[in-house]
Amino acid sequence: MGVVGFITTYWMAVRLDLPVEGRFSFTGVWSALKRSVLSLLMPIIILSGILIGIFTPTEAAAVAVVYGFLISKFIYRELSWLHFRRVLIESGVTTGIVMLIIGTATLFGWILTSQQVPHRISESLASVSSEAWVFLLLVNIVFIVVHCVFEVSASLIMTLPILFPIARAYGIDPVHFGIVLTANMGVGMITPPIGMCLCVACGISGVSIQKATLPLLPLLGTMVLALIFITFVPEFTLLLPRLVLGYQSP
């Protein structure tokens, strides 16, 4: 998905004749790396802290905020106290928008769950065909549609306990199925109008979701193509777990 994102972004930049920076040079890369090395440590601190067990993913977010504040204020000296006040206000507004959407989606999900809608959908998927590829295709279609009105985490919590046993009954590798759903979540994170990353990006940029949707369609389309490839070529999906971790399908 990262690769197709690079290609799509480059194609759109050329097509729209967007302004470019200077020519590529290793000297420029090295200079930028030296300036940004402290910033690049942030994901390393977050991931290593989670994997080692120093803090939870939720606590990692707080650690990232504190680390970002310290290097912005005292190392790079780009954050004044006046700017810091504005950052707090803007962060609060953006967080409020996103949490309002998540709360509404969660309430809607509870209503559908109480009416057993996900269970009925899952039963319908299982009864359509005895072919595993048909089941995977229908799962992707349903999830893409569901992500238009559901927050991705809520949709997984509601459907995964039902879909996973069905996938195993079809003989689908559990790791492959998990990666397919994870890739589908990646699409769902930018699917309007509930996509969390889309809402955050629009909140930060001040661009409405309606205005951002049309330019987003090429990227969304290529991500769906990548999702199809991930879904129907399990050998590619499982290549890394098998080579690095020695994973064997059950």
Side-chain angles (χ1 to χ4, degrees), residues 185-192 195-198 216 219-220 223:
M185 286 178 63
V187 178
M189 294 291 271
I190 65 168
T191 303
M196 186 183 298
C197 289
L198 176 62
L216 185 67
L219 181 61
L220 195 58
M223 289 184 69

Side-chain angles (χ1 to χ4, degrees), residues 55-212:
F55 40 68
T56 66
T58 303
E59 293 167 345
V63 171
V65 170
V66 173
Y67 179 78
F69 168 74
L70 292 177
I71 63 173
S72 297
K73 176 63 179 175
F74 301 108
I75 305 299
Y76 294 127
R77 300 183 183 277
E78 296 177 345
L79 185 65
S80 65
W81 288 114
L82 182 61
H83 189 205
F84 179 65
R85 177 176 175 272
R86 187 165 71 251
V87 167
L88 289 178
I89 294 173
E90 293 177 356
S91 299
V93 171
T94 302
T95 303
I97 293 172
V98 174
M99 295 307 296
L100 180 61
I101 294 172
I102 293 176
T104 305
T106 303
L107 177 61
F108 184 54
W110 179 85
I111 294 173
L112 293 184
T113 304
S114 65
Q115 300 301 314
Q116 297 187 339
V117 173
H119 181 71
R120 293 173 184 174
I121 292 176
S122 301
E123 287 183 339
S124 300
L125 291 177
S127 63
V128 169
S129 174
S130 59
E131 298 290 336
W133 71 269
V134 176
F135 171 76
L136 287 173
L137 177 63
L138 292 175
V139 165
N140 279 325
I141 292 174
V142 168
F143 264 87
I144 289 174
V145 173
V146 165
H147 288 156
C148 293
V149 293
F150 271 104
E151 197 271 326
V152 291
S153 300
S155 65
L156 275 184
I157 291 171
M158 289 184 298
T159 58
L160 188 57
I162 303 169
L163 293 177
F164 185 76
I166 300 174
R168 296 295 295 125
Y170 275 104
I172 299 171
D173 185 278
V175 172
H176 176 229
F177 188 64
I179 294 174
V180 168
L181 294 187
T182 302
N184 208 309
M185 286 178 63
V187 178
M189 294 291 271
I190 65 168
T191 303
I194 303 297
M196 186 183 298
C197 289
L198 176 62
C199 293
V200 172
C202 289
I204 293 174
S205 63
V207 177
S208 66
I209 292 179
Q210 293 85 347
K211 189 175 180 179

Side-chain angles (χ1 to χ4, degrees), residues 44-63:
I44 297 176
I45 294 172
I46 293 172
L47 293 176
S48 60
I50 294 173
L51 294 175
I52 295 173
I54 299 175
F55 40 68
T56 66
T58 303
E59 293 167 345
V63 171

Side-chain angles (χ1 to χ4, degrees), residues 31-44:
S31 176
L33 180 62
K34 288 191 295 183
R35 293 196 307 270
S36 61
V37 63
L38 290 177
S39 299
L40 294 175
L41 285 176
M42 182 181 289
I44 297 176

